[in-house]
Amino acid sequence: MKREMKYEGKAKRVYATDDSDKYIVEFKDDATAFDGKKKGTIHDKGILNNRISAHFFEMLEKHGIPTHFEKLLNDREMLVKAVEIIPVEVIVRNIAAGSLAKRLGLEEGTPMKRPVLEFCYKSDELGDPMINHYHIYALGLASEEEMKVIEDIALKVNSILVEYLKPRNIELVDFKLEFGRYKGRVILADEISPDTCRFWDADTREKLDKDRFRRDLGNVEEAYREVLKRLTGGN
Ligand code: C5P
């Protein structure tokens, strides 16, 4: 049974349950961009991201990736393992876009010669500033052992997702992962959705992700729906 709310983020709420080892994650329709400066809602986003995340987590588990996902509960909620979130956001990039394209003066769409890993300190007040391993260890955000596991899982998730999305005609440009501690292990947590990934149609390079909201491109809900359709084949 659902108990008190533990945490409310920009796109999700996390609740305690009767089982101290499990949380319930509720996906909201609220959307923010540019460190919360742009606010809005995307109709049915919570429902779509709940399904899309569940689909990715189940697929990754089949490939041997440990995740917090337990099961879908209803349209907007999933049951997850009660992890302690590690406050390091991990960004994986295959193609230059967004902040990387801007920071390094690369044309959006430039392929990377190999995947790029970036780390950000998870802090709404600070706007998730980019950090490196020195910061992570100096601030005690994660141990060296944990970072080895995190980087290994992040790169494996990237390879699995790229291959999985190819036949679905989706290019995986970049994405953000979060990890949590659970019973002495580090496992994948948070969500994997068009809110946290850049997905491009492989033929037209049409954006099928939150950039449609960030850049006022329109048809945001339709793009999220299209991603779910390509993942599940319309089921
Ligand atoms: O904005 P930027 O180009 O750094 O984002 C890289 C990737 O990480 C994008 O897919 C974006 O959706 C995701 N991201 C996120 N949450 C953040 C920052 C970035 O999901 N706080």
Side-chain angles (χ1 to χ4, degrees):
M1 214 180 65
K2 202 159 152 182
R3 299 283 224 192
E4 79 278 6
M5 190 168 76
K6 302 282 293 181
Y7 166 84
E8 176 156 20
K10 287 171 279 193
K12 297 189 292 295
R13 294 188 189 95
V14 178
Y15 296 90
T17 68
D18 286 337
D19 180 349
S20 62
D21 285 340
K22 304 281 191 297
Y23 287 155
I24 289 172
V25 176
E26 180 199 344
F27 287 77
K28 305 191 283 184
D29 286 350
D30 298 346
T32 61
F34 312 117
D35 297 329
K37 285 188 218 60
K38 182 182 168 102
K39 285 195 177 76
T41 58
I42 300 168
H43 182 252
D44 280 355
K45 174 169 83 77
I47 296 173
L48 294 163
N49 281 357
N50 189 31
R51 293 217 192 117
I52 292 169
S53 282
H55 187 89
F56 278 129
F57 283 137
E58 275 176 345
M59 185 274 288
L60 289 168
E61 287 276 359
K62 281 187 200 140
H63 282 83
I65 303 292
T67 81
H68 72 160
F69 181 73
E70 289 278 313
K71 63 175 179 180
L72 273 176
L73 294 174
N74 54 52
D75 262 5
R76 289 180 181 273
E77 293 178 330
M78 59 169 64
L79 188 70
V80 302
K81 296 183 176 75
V83 301
E84 176 201 348
I85 288 286
I86 296 171
V88 176
E89 297 189 345
V90 181
I91 294 173
V92 187
R93 302 180 184 269
N94 299 304
I95 297 172
S99 69
L100 178 83
K102 198 171 165 193
R103 188 174 351 110
L104 300 185
L106 297 169
E107 192 183 338
E108 187 166 82
T110 309
M112 300 287 101
K113 289 193 173 63
R114 47 180 275 182
V116 173
L117 280 191
E118 293 173 356
F119 307 102
C120 296
Y121 178 34
K122 188 174 159 63
S123 161
D124 284 343
E125 304 87 81
L126 300 174
D128 303 330
M130 197 196 273
I131 50 176
N132 64 29
H133 288 91
Y134 287 89
H135 301 103
I136 292 170
Y137 304 140
L139 272 64
L141 304 180
S143 69
E144 291 193 35
E145 206 185 341
E146 286 174 330
M147 285 309 293
K148 274 208 191 88
V149 175
I150 286 172
E151 287 168 43
D152 180 55
I153 296 179
L155 291 171
K156 275 190 187 135
V157 167
N158 185 44
S159 308
I160 296 166
L161 289 181
V162 165
E163 287 311 309
Y164 186 77
L165 292 169
K166 234 178 238 166
R168 290 159 178 85
N169 215 37
I170 294 176
E171 267 187 317
L172 181 62
V173 175
D174 57 33
F175 58 100
K176 185 257 312 181
L177 297 176
E178 293 185 27
F179 294 83
R181 302 183 179 101
Y182 184 76
K183 299 188 177 179
R185 292 177 74 200
V186 171
I187 64 176
L188 187 59
D190 196 49
E191 67 178 286
I192 303 177
S193 74
D195 268 11
T196 62
C197 304
R198 283 195 174 93
F199 297 128
W200 289 356
D201 180 276
D203 294 326
T204 63
R205 293 211 142 176
E206 186 192 358
K207 296 180 198 311
L208 301 171
D209 56 59
K210 197 171 151 186
D211 270 349
R212 300 203 71 84
F213 169 78
R214 295 188 187 102
R215 303 182 193 184
D216 294 320
L217 298 175
N219 295 333
V220 188
E221 180 191 340
E222 289 75 7
Y224 282 52
R225 239 177 243 294
E226 177 64 21
V227 170
L228 179 62
K229 194 172 132 202
R230 292 198 196 181
L231 296 183
T232 60
N235 299 311

